[in-house]
Amino acid sequence: MDMRLTGRVAVVTGASKGIGLAVTRALLAEGAKVVAASRTAGPELTALTGPDLVHEAVDLMDPEAPARTVARAVREFGGLDILVNNAGGPPPGVDLPRDSFFDASDEDWRAMFEFNLFSAVRTVRAAIPHMLSGGGGSIVNVSSANARQPSQINVDYGAAKAAMNNLTKALSEEFGPQGIRVNTVSPGPVLTPWWTDPGGVADRLAGRVGTDRTGVLDKLVPETMRLTTGRLADPEEIADVVVLLASPRSASTTGAEFTVDSGFVKAV
C-alpha cells in the first residue's frame, strides 16, 4: 500500500533506538524526509543517514530544544508535515520500574513530566505554525498503555502519559478544522533497548526473581502482564501504526488512540 508520504517532511523525537528508530526507518522507506532528534545518533540511526535524513543532536529536557529541532526541519527540507512525539520513558538518570509510589520524589515527578509531556507540548507549539502555513499536517503522540492501565511501579510515568492522551484530544479538537490531525499510539511492553540492553529492565527483574533475561522476556512478563499474544511487541509493529496515522490515507482519523499492547489493556 502506498502511504502517499513521498517528499513529506517529518520530525521524529527519540529517534536513535527502539520505537523511534523503527518509525524513522519506516518513514524513510515510504519516501519521507526525516529530521531524527535524539541526544546521540547511535550506529543504527547513523547507518540511515543520507539526503533524506538528518540527525539533530538535542536533549529534549532543554526547553529550547524542540524549537531548534522544528527549525532544522524547515531549514533543511522547506517545511513540516509530520511530527512524531516519541521521546519518552525514564528521563536521564532515572530507572524504572520503581517499587512503590513513595519511591518518586517531587523532582522525579517533575523530570518525568518534563521528558514525557512538556517536551511534546513544546515541540507541538513549534510545529503547528509551520503545518498551518503548509496547509495541514499530522501529529502522532506516542503514549503508553499505562496511561489507561495504572501501575504503582510506574505511577509518575503513567500519569504523564495519561496527560499526553488528554493533550492529543484537545489538540485534535482545536486544530482538526484547520487541517492538522492529532492521534495517539499507546504501546504496551515492546522489545526496545530499555528492556533488552544489558542492565536493562529484563536483567533487573531477572535478578529479583532468580531467572535470566530470556526467562523474563519470554515467560515472566507475558504471564504477569497477561499479554493475550503471549509476547512483547516488536518496535516495527508500533511504527507501522504510526506511519499509517501520519499518512493521508488516515485523513478522517483524528483524536483517536490506537493501542498496540499485545492485549495488555483488558478494559472496554
Side-chain angles (χ1 to χ4, degrees):
M1 179 187 295
D2 180 8
M3 291 288 111
R4 303 174 187 168
L5 292 175
T6 299
R8 307 236 174 190
V9 180
V11 164
V12 180
T13 66
S16 64
K17 55 188 176 181
I19 294 170
L21 179 66
V23 169
T24 298
R25 187 178 286 123
L27 286 169
L28 290 171
E30 293 294 335
K33 301 176 186 296
V34 181
V35 171
S38 60
R39 288 189 296 274
T40 58
E44 291 179 285
L45 182 60
T46 299
L48 299 175
T49 302
D52 292 337
L53 173 70
V54 295
H55 175 246
E56 179 72 1
V58 290
D59 180 354
L60 289 168
M61 297 285 280
D62 173 4
E64 304 301 321
R68 290 201 305 271
T69 302
V70 170
R72 181 76 184 275
V74 175
R75 185 170 69 251
E76 294 281 347
F77 299 126
L80 182 63
D81 305 296
I82 299 161
L83 169 61
V84 181
N85 281 311
N86 169 72
V94 174
D95 289 328
L96 293 179
R98 307 185 193 280
D99 290 324
S100 166
F101 162 79
F102 287 104
D103 290 341
S105 66
D106 282 3
E107 188 53 42
D108 291 329
W109 276 82
R110 290 189 192 98
M112 191 66 71
F113 271 72
E114 188 73 37
F115 191 42
N116 286 275
L117 179 65
F118 297 149
S119 68
V121 168
R122 294 175 183 127
T123 311
V124 168
R125 188 183 291 137
I128 282 179
H130 296 287
M131 290 183 173
L132 291 175
S133 67
S138 173
I139 298 171
V140 183
N141 293 324
V142 179
S143 182
S144 169
N146 280 133
R148 293 200 294 126
Q149 183 66 50
S151 168
Q152 73 273 14
I153 62 175
N154 293 322
V155 61
D156 48 342
Y157 173 72
K161 290 302 191 181
M164 172 78 88
N165 290 10
N166 189 287
L167 172 68
T168 298
K169 287 283 190 181
L171 292 170
S172 71
E173 283 296 303
E174 180 172 357
F175 296 103
Q178 301 173 68
I180 298 176
R181 297 182 298 106
V182 192
N183 293 287
T184 301
V185 176
S186 293
V190 182
L191 287 168
T192 62
W194 185 68
W195 281 95
T196 61
D197 273 356
V201 177
D203 282 352
R204 294 201 300 274
L205 290 175
R208 294 181 185 182
V209 300
T211 184
D212 58 15
R213 187 187 310 164
T214 300
V216 168
L217 295 173
D218 292 351
K219 185 174 176 62
L220 178 68
V221 172
E223 289 182 356
T224 57
M225 296 185 74
R226 297 175 59 219
L227 302 183
T228 305
T229 64
R231 64 174 180 85
L232 281 71
D234 292 320
E236 291 75 18
E237 294 170 325
I238 315 303
D240 287 344
V241 179
V242 171
V243 170
L244 179 60
L245 290 171
S247 164
R249 287 190 174 274
S250 296
S252 294
T253 303
T254 192
E257 180 192 8
F258 287 76
T259 304
V260 188
D261 68 346
S262 304
F264 170 57
V265 176
K266 308 297 183 185
V268 175

